[in-house]
mmCIF file of all heavy atoms in Angstrom:
data_model
loop_
_atom_site.group_PDB
_atom_site.id
_atom_site.type_symbol
_atom_site.label_atom_id
_atom_site.label_comp_id
_atom_site.label_asym_id
_atom_site.label_seq_id
_atom_site.Cartn_x
_atom_site.Cartn_y
_atom_site.Cartn_z
ATOM 1 N N GLU A 10 3.840 4.814 22.709
ATOM 2 C CA GLU A 10 4.369 5.109 21.344
ATOM 3 C C GLU A 10 3.101 4.945 20.442
ATOM 4 O O GLU A 10 2.552 3.976 20.503
ATOM 5 C CB GLU A 10 5.600 4.242 20.892
ATOM 6 C CG GLU A 10 6.786 4.421 21.586
ATOM 7 C CD GLU A 10 7.921 3.529 21.115
ATOM 8 O OE1 GLU A 10 7.684 2.828 20.167
ATOM 9 O OE2 GLU A 10 9.050 3.751 21.638
ATOM 10 N N ILE A 11 2.839 6.124 19.643
ATOM 11 C CA ILE A 11 1.553 6.163 18.961
ATOM 12 C C ILE A 11 1.862 6.615 17.548
ATOM 13 O O ILE A 11 2.791 7.500 17.296
ATOM 14 C CB ILE A 11 0.648 7.198 19.661
ATOM 15 C CG1 ILE A 11 0.390 6.753 21.125
ATOM 16 C CG2 ILE A 11 -0.696 7.251 18.894
ATOM 17 C CD1 ILE A 11 -0.386 7.843 21.932
ATOM 18 N N ALA A 12 1.142 6.148 16.542
ATOM 19 C CA ALA A 12 1.232 6.612 15.269
ATOM 20 C C ALA A 12 0.748 8.098 15.180
ATOM 21 O O ALA A 12 -0.267 8.464 15.739
ATOM 22 C CB ALA A 12 0.428 5.729 14.302
ATOM 23 N N VAL A 13 1.582 8.883 14.533
ATOM 24 C CA VAL A 13 1.243 10.441 14.489
ATOM 25 C C VAL A 13 -0.131 10.529 13.853
ATOM 26 O O VAL A 13 -0.964 11.353 14.401
ATOM 27 C CB VAL A 13 2.359 10.991 13.595
ATOM 28 C CG1 VAL A 13 1.827 12.438 13.247
ATOM 29 C CG2 VAL A 13 3.695 11.047 14.279
ATOM 30 N N ILE A 14 -0.543 9.907 12.764
ATOM 31 C CA ILE A 14 -1.846 10.018 12.154
ATOM 32 C C ILE A 14 -2.932 9.622 13.059
ATOM 33 O O ILE A 14 -4.055 10.306 13.064
ATOM 34 C CB ILE A 14 -1.931 9.251 10.862
ATOM 35 C CG1 ILE A 14 -3.061 9.605 10.090
ATOM 36 C CG2 ILE A 14 -1.657 7.708 11.059
ATOM 37 C CD1 ILE A 14 -3.266 11.024 9.688
ATOM 38 N N ASN A 15 -2.715 8.576 13.891
ATOM 39 C CA ASN A 15 -3.801 8.260 14.889
ATOM 40 C C ASN A 15 -4.011 9.226 15.964
ATOM 41 O O ASN A 15 -5.204 9.491 16.308
ATOM 42 C CB ASN A 15 -3.520 6.861 15.425
ATOM 43 C CG ASN A 15 -3.625 5.658 14.522
ATOM 44 O OD1 ASN A 15 -4.232 5.814 13.491
ATOM 45 N ND2 ASN A 15 -3.009 4.479 14.841
ATOM 46 N N LEU A 16 -2.914 9.875 16.397
ATOM 47 C CA LEU A 16 -3.128 10.906 17.422
ATOM 48 C C LEU A 16 -3.749 12.132 16.819
ATOM 49 O O LEU A 16 -4.718 12.635 17.472
ATOM 50 C CB LEU A 16 -1.887 11.200 18.125
ATOM 51 C CG LEU A 16 -1.997 12.059 19.374
ATOM 52 C CD1 LEU A 16 -1.184 11.494 20.520
ATOM 53 C CD2 LEU A 16 -1.575 13.504 19.142
ATOM 54 N N GLU A 17 -3.392 12.448 15.657
ATOM 55 C CA GLU A 17 -3.981 13.647 14.994
ATOM 56 C C GLU A 17 -5.470 13.490 14.776
ATOM 57 O O GLU A 17 -6.267 14.411 14.849
ATOM 58 C CB GLU A 17 -3.272 14.009 13.760
ATOM 59 C CG GLU A 17 -1.776 14.460 13.941
ATOM 60 C CD GLU A 17 -1.107 14.775 12.711
ATOM 61 O OE1 GLU A 17 -1.718 14.473 11.520
ATOM 62 O OE2 GLU A 17 -0.069 15.449 12.714
ATOM 63 N N ASN A 18 -5.889 12.295 14.498
ATOM 64 C CA ASN A 18 -7.275 11.990 14.101
ATOM 65 C C ASN A 18 -8.017 11.381 15.368
ATOM 66 O O ASN A 18 -9.172 10.992 15.327
ATOM 67 C CB ASN A 18 -7.379 10.853 13.071
ATOM 68 C CG ASN A 18 -6.796 11.389 11.787
ATOM 69 O OD1 ASN A 18 -6.936 12.593 11.481
ATOM 70 N ND2 ASN A 18 -6.277 10.502 10.921
ATOM 71 N N ALA A 19 -7.288 11.508 16.569
ATOM 72 C CA ALA A 19 -7.840 11.146 17.801
ATOM 73 C C ALA A 19 -8.382 9.689 17.821
ATOM 74 O O ALA A 19 -9.318 9.442 18.561
ATOM 75 C CB ALA A 19 -9.162 12.046 18.182
ATOM 76 N N ARG A 20 -7.657 8.851 17.073
ATOM 77 C CA ARG A 20 -8.049 7.436 17.017
ATOM 78 C C ARG A 20 -7.095 6.632 17.982
ATOM 79 O O ARG A 20 -6.310 5.785 17.448
ATOM 80 C CB ARG A 20 -8.034 6.910 15.644
ATOM 81 C CG ARG A 20 -9.097 7.611 14.826
ATOM 82 C CD ARG A 20 -8.987 7.238 13.325
ATOM 83 N NE ARG A 20 -9.395 5.860 13.137
ATOM 84 C CZ ARG A 20 -10.751 5.495 12.942
ATOM 85 N NH1 ARG A 20 -11.700 6.367 12.904
ATOM 86 N NH2 ARG A 20 -10.931 4.232 12.799
ATOM 87 N N VAL A 21 -7.026 6.988 19.228
ATOM 88 C CA VAL A 21 -6.090 6.416 20.153
ATOM 89 C C VAL A 21 -6.625 6.549 21.578
ATOM 90 O O VAL A 21 -7.410 7.532 21.827
ATOM 91 C CB VAL A 21 -4.707 7.057 20.040
ATOM 92 C CG1 VAL A 21 -4.742 8.518 20.475
ATOM 93 C CG2 VAL A 21 -3.666 6.354 20.847
ATOM 94 N N GLY A 22 -6.242 5.535 22.323
ATOM 95 C CA GLY A 22 -6.536 5.696 23.758
ATOM 96 C C GLY A 22 -5.378 5.424 24.617
ATOM 97 O O GLY A 22 -4.550 4.676 24.110
ATOM 98 N N CYS A 23 -5.458 5.822 25.833
ATOM 99 C CA CYS A 23 -4.333 5.496 26.779
ATOM 100 C C CYS A 23 -4.409 4.200 27.223
ATOM 101 O O CYS A 23 -5.537 3.708 27.785
ATOM 102 C CB CYS A 23 -4.383 6.554 27.915
ATOM 103 S SG CYS A 23 -3.195 6.183 29.279
ATOM 104 N N ALA A 24 -3.408 3.314 27.083
ATOM 105 C CA ALA A 24 -3.431 1.950 27.570
ATOM 106 C C ALA A 24 -3.639 1.720 28.988
ATOM 107 O O ALA A 24 -3.993 0.736 29.499
ATOM 108 C CB ALA A 24 -2.087 1.208 27.047
ATOM 109 N N ALA A 25 -3.317 2.839 29.818
ATOM 110 C CA ALA A 25 -3.371 2.581 31.216
ATOM 111 C C ALA A 25 -4.754 3.087 31.729
ATOM 112 O O ALA A 25 -5.193 2.581 32.787
ATOM 113 C CB ALA A 25 -2.333 3.677 31.812
ATOM 114 N N CYS A 26 -5.374 4.078 31.091
ATOM 115 C CA CYS A 26 -6.586 4.576 31.755
ATOM 116 C C CYS A 26 -7.911 4.768 30.872
ATOM 117 O O CYS A 26 -8.906 5.016 31.407
ATOM 118 C CB CYS A 26 -6.328 5.937 32.457
ATOM 119 S SG CYS A 26 -5.996 7.279 31.365
ATOM 120 N N ASN A 27 -7.677 4.519 29.573
ATOM 121 C CA ASN A 27 -8.829 4.833 28.738
ATOM 122 C C ASN A 27 -9.673 3.540 28.545
ATOM 123 O O ASN A 27 -9.215 2.455 28.303
ATOM 124 C CB ASN A 27 -8.271 5.222 27.329
ATOM 125 C CG ASN A 27 -9.349 5.786 26.434
ATOM 126 O OD1 ASN A 27 -10.334 5.182 26.048
ATOM 127 N ND2 ASN A 27 -9.298 7.093 26.267
ATOM 128 N N PRO A 28 -10.941 3.669 28.525
ATOM 129 C CA PRO A 28 -11.846 2.449 28.455
ATOM 130 C C PRO A 28 -11.861 1.984 27.035
ATOM 131 O O PRO A 28 -12.423 1.039 26.830
ATOM 132 C CB PRO A 28 -13.234 3.022 28.896
ATOM 133 C CG PRO A 28 -13.158 4.572 28.657
ATOM 134 C CD PRO A 28 -11.727 4.973 28.843
ATOM 135 N N GLY A 29 -11.430 2.729 26.090
ATOM 136 C CA GLY A 29 -11.418 2.215 24.754
ATOM 137 C C GLY A 29 -12.611 2.954 23.891
ATOM 138 O O GLY A 29 -13.618 3.478 24.466
ATOM 139 N N TRP A 30 -12.532 2.956 22.564
ATOM 140 C CA TRP A 30 -13.439 3.696 21.761
ATOM 141 C C TRP A 30 -14.832 3.066 21.925
ATOM 142 O O TRP A 30 -15.872 3.806 21.836
ATOM 143 C CB TRP A 30 -12.958 3.684 20.429
ATOM 144 C CG TRP A 30 -13.142 2.318 19.659
ATOM 145 C CD1 TRP A 30 -12.123 1.357 19.719
ATOM 146 C CD2 TRP A 30 -14.248 1.728 19.054
ATOM 147 N NE1 TRP A 30 -12.567 0.187 18.981
ATOM 148 C CE2 TRP A 30 -13.794 0.398 18.611
ATOM 149 C CE3 TRP A 30 -15.508 2.200 18.817
ATOM 150 C CZ2 TRP A 30 -14.769 -0.380 17.941
ATOM 151 C CZ3 TRP A 30 -16.370 1.346 18.175
ATOM 152 C CH2 TRP A 30 -15.961 0.032 17.775
ATOM 153 N N CYS A 31 -14.966 1.810 22.111
ATOM 154 C CA CYS A 31 -16.305 1.126 22.073
ATOM 155 C C CYS A 31 -17.228 1.662 23.302
ATOM 156 O O CYS A 31 -18.446 1.552 23.131
ATOM 157 C CB CYS A 31 -16.101 -0.373 22.051
ATOM 158 S SG CYS A 31 -15.284 -1.085 23.475
ATOM 159 N N ALA A 32 -16.485 2.030 24.431
ATOM 160 C CA ALA A 32 -17.299 2.478 25.408
ATOM 161 C C ALA A 32 -17.447 4.014 25.527
ATOM 162 O O ALA A 32 -18.213 4.578 26.344
ATOM 163 C CB ALA A 32 -16.600 2.006 26.744
ATOM 164 N N ALA A 33 -16.747 4.685 24.656
ATOM 165 C CA ALA A 33 -16.700 6.215 24.747
ATOM 166 C C ALA A 33 -17.884 6.753 23.763
ATOM 167 O O ALA A 33 -18.209 6.072 22.867
ATOM 168 C CB ALA A 33 -15.351 6.729 24.261
ATOM 169 N N PRO A 34 -18.354 7.854 24.071
ATOM 170 C CA PRO A 34 -19.383 8.541 23.308
ATOM 171 C C PRO A 34 -18.960 8.645 21.852
ATOM 172 O O PRO A 34 -17.748 8.834 21.594
ATOM 173 C CB PRO A 34 -19.713 9.872 23.860
ATOM 174 C CG PRO A 34 -19.260 9.574 25.354
ATOM 175 C CD PRO A 34 -18.130 8.711 25.331
ATOM 176 N N SER A 35 -19.803 8.524 20.837
ATOM 177 C CA SER A 35 -19.483 8.598 19.438
ATOM 178 C C SER A 35 -20.508 9.319 18.612
ATOM 179 O O SER A 35 -21.549 9.771 19.244
ATOM 180 C CB SER A 35 -19.269 7.282 18.895
ATOM 181 O OG SER A 35 -18.705 7.270 17.560
ATOM 182 N N TRP A 36 -20.291 9.577 17.354
ATOM 183 C CA TRP A 36 -21.294 10.358 16.486
ATOM 184 C C TRP A 36 -21.519 9.525 15.252
ATOM 185 O O TRP A 36 -20.564 8.954 14.614
ATOM 186 C CB TRP A 36 -20.789 11.677 16.164
ATOM 187 C CG TRP A 36 -20.453 12.580 17.261
ATOM 188 C CD1 TRP A 36 -19.376 12.500 18.270
ATOM 189 C CD2 TRP A 36 -21.272 13.665 17.806
ATOM 190 N NE1 TRP A 36 -19.465 13.477 19.151
ATOM 191 C CE2 TRP A 36 -20.585 14.256 18.944
ATOM 192 C CE3 TRP A 36 -22.449 14.220 17.375
ATOM 193 C CZ2 TRP A 36 -21.158 15.263 19.609
ATOM 194 C CZ3 TRP A 36 -22.945 15.275 18.047
ATOM 195 C CH2 TRP A 36 -22.403 15.793 19.238
ATOM 196 N N ILE A 37 -22.723 9.572 14.696
ATOM 197 C CA ILE A 37 -23.069 9.071 13.469
ATOM 198 C C ILE A 37 -23.198 10.441 12.504
ATOM 199 O O ILE A 37 -23.838 11.288 12.954
ATOM 200 C CB ILE A 37 -24.378 8.309 13.338
ATOM 201 C CG1 ILE A 37 -24.231 6.985 14.156
ATOM 202 C CG2 ILE A 37 -24.709 7.893 11.879
ATOM 203 C CD1 ILE A 37 -25.425 6.218 14.199
ATOM 204 N N TYR A 38 -22.505 10.365 11.430
ATOM 205 C CA TYR A 38 -22.466 11.579 10.572
ATOM 206 C C TYR A 38 -22.995 11.342 9.231
ATOM 207 O O TYR A 38 -22.773 10.297 8.662
ATOM 208 C CB TYR A 38 -21.054 12.315 10.583
ATOM 209 C CG TYR A 38 -19.940 11.364 9.963
ATOM 210 C CD1 TYR A 38 -19.824 11.304 8.653
ATOM 211 C CD2 TYR A 38 -19.084 10.679 10.788
ATOM 212 C CE1 TYR A 38 -18.864 10.433 8.010
ATOM 213 C CE2 TYR A 38 -18.102 9.807 10.296
ATOM 214 C CZ TYR A 38 -17.943 9.822 8.884
ATOM 215 O OH TYR A 38 -16.960 9.033 8.346
ATOM 216 N N LEU A 39 -23.355 12.466 8.500
ATOM 217 C CA LEU A 39 -23.808 12.437 7.112
ATOM 218 C C LEU A 39 -23.028 13.697 6.503
ATOM 219 O O LEU A 39 -23.170 14.758 7.037
ATOM 220 C CB LEU A 39 -25.241 12.500 6.889
ATOM 221 C CG LEU A 39 -25.660 12.627 5.390
ATOM 222 C CD1 LEU A 39 -25.325 11.361 4.605
ATOM 223 C CD2 LEU A 39 -27.070 12.967 5.320
ATOM 224 N N ILE A 40 -22.302 13.421 5.463
ATOM 225 C CA ILE A 40 -21.462 14.542 4.776
ATOM 226 C C ILE A 40 -21.804 14.553 3.356
ATOM 227 O O ILE A 40 -22.136 13.538 2.704
ATOM 228 C CB ILE A 40 -20.012 14.336 5.123
ATOM 229 C CG1 ILE A 40 -19.452 13.056 4.455
ATOM 230 C CG2 ILE A 40 -19.655 14.409 6.504
ATOM 231 C CD1 ILE A 40 -17.996 12.913 4.570
ATOM 232 N N ARG A 41 -21.664 15.798 2.785
ATOM 233 C CA ARG A 41 -21.608 15.930 1.381
ATOM 234 C C ARG A 41 -20.215 15.919 0.834
ATOM 235 O O ARG A 41 -19.346 16.564 1.536
ATOM 236 C CB ARG A 41 -22.264 17.199 0.932
ATOM 237 C CG ARG A 41 -23.784 17.313 1.264
ATOM 238 C CD ARG A 41 -24.428 18.602 0.756
ATOM 239 N NE ARG A 41 -25.829 18.778 1.227
ATOM 240 C CZ ARG A 41 -26.251 19.575 2.020
ATOM 241 N NH1 ARG A 41 -25.467 20.533 2.559
ATOM 242 N NH2 ARG A 41 -27.569 19.708 2.367
ATOM 243 N N ILE A 42 -19.983 15.471 -0.259
ATOM 244 C CA ILE A 42 -18.570 15.396 -0.859
ATOM 245 C C ILE A 42 -18.725 15.983 -2.296
ATOM 246 O O ILE A 42 -19.388 15.532 -3.135
ATOM 247 C CB ILE A 42 -18.100 13.875 -1.019
ATOM 248 C CG1 ILE A 42 -18.048 13.252 0.452
ATOM 249 C CG2 ILE A 42 -16.681 13.781 -1.609
ATOM 250 C CD1 ILE A 42 -17.847 11.810 0.420
ATOM 251 N N ALA A 43 -17.875 17.054 -2.495
ATOM 252 C CA ALA A 43 -17.798 17.678 -3.849
ATOM 253 C C ALA A 43 -16.486 17.417 -4.453
ATOM 254 O O ALA A 43 -15.371 17.810 -3.848
ATOM 255 C CB ALA A 43 -18.143 19.095 -3.660
ATOM 256 N N LEU A 44 -16.460 16.851 -5.624
ATOM 257 C CA LEU A 44 -15.189 16.482 -6.326
ATOM 258 C C LEU A 44 -14.899 17.768 -7.303
ATOM 259 O O LEU A 44 -15.765 18.398 -7.782
ATOM 260 C CB LEU A 44 -15.340 15.343 -7.152
ATOM 261 C CG LEU A 44 -15.585 14.008 -6.377
ATOM 262 C CD1 LEU A 44 -15.512 12.832 -7.268
ATOM 263 C CD2 LEU A 44 -14.655 13.846 -5.137
ATOM 264 N N PRO A 45 -13.592 17.972 -7.759
ATOM 265 C CA PRO A 45 -13.175 18.950 -8.584
ATOM 266 C C PRO A 45 -13.748 18.890 -9.971
ATOM 267 O O PRO A 45 -13.905 19.810 -10.670
ATOM 268 C CB PRO A 45 -11.720 18.868 -8.552
ATOM 269 C CG PRO A 45 -11.345 17.630 -8.201
ATOM 270 C CD PRO A 45 -12.429 17.171 -7.235
ATOM 271 N N ASP A 46 -14.284 17.612 -10.326
ATOM 272 C CA ASP A 46 -14.931 17.430 -11.762
ATOM 273 C C ASP A 46 -16.399 17.575 -11.632
ATOM 274 O O ASP A 46 -17.073 17.115 -12.474
ATOM 275 C CB ASP A 46 -14.517 16.022 -12.324
ATOM 276 C CG ASP A 46 -15.012 14.959 -11.293
ATOM 277 O OD1 ASP A 46 -15.708 15.149 -10.335
ATOM 278 O OD2 ASP A 46 -14.557 13.755 -11.487
ATOM 279 N N SER A 47 -16.905 18.123 -10.549
ATOM 280 C CA SER A 47 -18.397 18.472 -10.412
ATOM 281 C C SER A 47 -19.220 17.286 -9.936
ATOM 282 O O SER A 47 -20.397 17.522 -9.681
ATOM 283 C CB SER A 47 -18.930 19.079 -11.648
ATOM 284 O OG SER A 47 -18.281 20.252 -11.995
ATOM 285 N N ARG A 48 -18.708 16.159 -9.734
ATOM 286 C CA ARG A 48 -19.425 15.048 -9.210
ATOM 287 C C ARG A 48 -19.674 15.303 -7.680
ATOM 288 O O ARG A 48 -18.957 15.861 -7.022
ATOM 289 C CB ARG A 48 -18.728 13.751 -9.308
ATOM 290 C CG ARG A 48 -18.790 13.108 -10.764
ATOM 291 C CD ARG A 48 -18.091 11.776 -10.795
ATOM 292 N NE ARG A 48 -16.585 11.947 -10.646
ATOM 293 C CZ ARG A 48 -15.830 10.886 -10.676
ATOM 294 N NH1 ARG A 48 -16.244 9.686 -10.656
ATOM 295 N NH2 ARG A 48 -14.439 11.156 -10.471
ATOM 296 N N ARG A 49 -20.931 14.875 -7.296
ATOM 297 C CA ARG A 49 -21.350 15.068 -5.909
ATOM 298 C C ARG A 49 -21.809 13.705 -5.310
ATOM 299 O O ARG A 49 -22.639 13.017 -5.916
ATOM 300 C CB ARG A 49 -22.584 16.028 -5.861
ATOM 301 C CG ARG A 49 -22.193 17.416 -6.350
ATOM 302 C CD ARG A 49 -21.244 18.069 -5.508
ATOM 303 N NE ARG A 49 -20.961 19.420 -5.939
ATOM 304 C CZ ARG A 49 -19.890 19.736 -6.697
ATOM 305 N NH1 ARG A 49 -19.152 18.884 -7.129
ATOM 306 N NH2 ARG A 49 -19.712 21.051 -7.033
ATOM 307 N N TRP A 50 -21.216 13.407 -4.099
ATOM 308 C CA TRP A 50 -21.639 12.202 -3.413
ATOM 309 C C TRP A 50 -22.027 12.551 -1.881
ATOM 310 O O TRP A 50 -21.844 13.756 -1.456
ATOM 311 C CB TRP A 50 -20.405 11.181 -3.460
ATOM 312 C CG TRP A 50 -20.045 10.773 -4.649
ATOM 313 C CD1 TRP A 50 -20.743 10.484 -5.850
ATOM 314 C CD2 TRP A 50 -18.603 10.367 -5.121
ATOM 315 N NE1 TRP A 50 -19.958 10.108 -6.922
ATOM 316 C CE2 TRP A 50 -18.691 9.961 -6.436
ATOM 317 C CE3 TRP A 50 -17.455 10.371 -4.389
ATOM 318 C CZ2 TRP A 50 -17.504 9.543 -7.023
ATOM 319 C CZ3 TRP A 50 -16.317 9.924 -5.081
ATOM 320 C CH2 TRP A 50 -16.404 9.576 -6.398
ATOM 321 N N ILE A 51 -22.465 11.554 -1.233
ATOM 322 C CA ILE A 51 -22.617 11.566 0.130
ATOM 323 C C ILE A 51 -22.149 10.426 0.935
ATOM 324 O O ILE A 51 -22.023 9.347 0.227
ATOM 325 C CB ILE A 51 -24.258 11.787 0.561
ATOM 326 C CG1 ILE A 51 -25.063 10.583 -0.029
ATOM 327 C CG2 ILE A 51 -24.728 13.118 0.069
ATOM 328 C CD1 ILE A 51 -26.448 10.615 0.561
ATOM 329 N N LYS A 52 -21.727 10.586 2.188
ATOM 330 C CA LYS A 52 -21.261 9.466 2.953
ATOM 331 C C LYS A 52 -21.915 9.434 4.263
ATOM 332 O O LYS A 52 -22.040 10.429 4.947
ATOM 333 C CB LYS A 52 -19.711 9.538 3.061
ATOM 334 C CG LYS A 52 -19.141 8.519 3.956
ATOM 335 C CD LYS A 52 -17.716 8.346 4.001
ATOM 336 C CE LYS A 52 -17.275 7.473 5.187
ATOM 337 N NZ LYS A 52 -17.920 6.080 5.200
ATOM 338 N N LEU A 53 -22.197 8.240 4.766
ATOM 339 C CA LEU A 53 -22.733 7.980 6.055
ATOM 340 C C LEU A 53 -21.687 7.283 6.809
ATOM 341 O O LEU A 53 -21.162 6.191 6.367
ATOM 342 C CB LEU A 53 -24.065 7.134 5.988
ATOM 343 C CG LEU A 53 -24.652 6.689 7.310
ATOM 344 C CD1 LEU A 53 -25.222 7.952 8.043
ATOM 345 C CD2 LEU A 53 -25.820 5.710 7.071
ATOM 346 N N GLY A 54 -21.322 7.752 8.071
ATOM 347 C CA GLY A 54 -20.365 7.095 8.886
ATOM 348 C C GLY A 54 -20.471 7.322 10.376
ATOM 349 O O GLY A 54 -21.425 7.999 10.645
ATOM 350 N N TYR A 55 -19.452 6.900 11.016
ATOM 351 C CA TYR A 55 -19.367 7.246 12.597
ATOM 352 C C TYR A 55 -18.006 7.538 12.899
ATOM 353 O O TYR A 55 -16.985 7.075 12.252
ATOM 354 C CB TYR A 55 -19.914 6.009 13.348
ATOM 355 C CG TYR A 55 -19.049 4.984 13.382
ATOM 356 C CD1 TYR A 55 -18.116 4.684 14.554
ATOM 357 C CD2 TYR A 55 -19.005 3.817 12.593
ATOM 358 C CE1 TYR A 55 -17.247 3.721 14.702
ATOM 359 C CE2 TYR A 55 -18.022 2.889 12.580
ATOM 360 C CZ TYR A 55 -17.227 2.740 13.691
ATOM 361 O OH TYR A 55 -16.365 1.699 13.745
ATOM 362 N N SER A 56 -17.798 8.253 14.003
ATOM 363 C CA SER A 56 -16.603 8.514 14.615
ATOM 364 C C SER A 56 -16.650 9.129 15.877
ATOM 365 O O SER A 56 -17.605 9.731 16.362
ATOM 366 C CB SER A 56 -15.796 9.585 13.647
ATOM 367 O OG SER A 56 -14.534 10.052 14.219
ATOM 368 N N ARG A 57 -15.657 8.850 16.809
ATOM 369 C CA ARG A 57 -15.541 9.409 18.044
ATOM 370 C C ARG A 57 -15.218 10.877 18.069
ATOM 371 O O ARG A 57 -15.744 11.646 18.771
ATOM 372 C CB ARG A 57 -14.539 8.701 18.778
ATOM 373 C CG ARG A 57 -14.379 9.153 20.396
ATOM 374 C CD ARG A 57 -13.372 8.299 21.045
ATOM 375 N NE ARG A 57 -13.044 8.737 22.362
ATOM 376 C CZ ARG A 57 -12.148 8.305 23.129
ATOM 377 N NH1 ARG A 57 -11.386 7.380 22.884
ATOM 378 N NH2 ARG A 57 -12.048 8.678 24.432
#
């Protein structure tokens, strides 16, 4: 049984066979964020 949002965002592993996110390959990302009021930000993060 898995939360729908977690499965859609791939933030889940099989309890029987998955080694877990900490052992799986991942990515560090940099993104631009544009708001409707013309403000501009950036974000640094990571995700599988």
Side-chain angles (χ1 to χ4, degrees):
E10 294 184 357
I11 305 170
V13 172
I14 187 64
N15 285 346
L16 191 134
E17 290 180 350
N18 295 329
R20 300 175 67 87
V21 64
C23 175
C26 66
N27 194 292
W30 69 269
C31 61
S35 189
W36 300 78
I37 297 177
Y38 62 79
L39 175 64
I40 59 173
R41 297 188 184 109
I42 302 170
L44 303 187
D46 59 10
S47 299
R48 282 182 292 177
R49 299 293 183 268
W50 298 328
I51 56 174
K52 172 172 170 53
L53 177 68
Y55 76 93
S56 177
R57 183 178 175 184

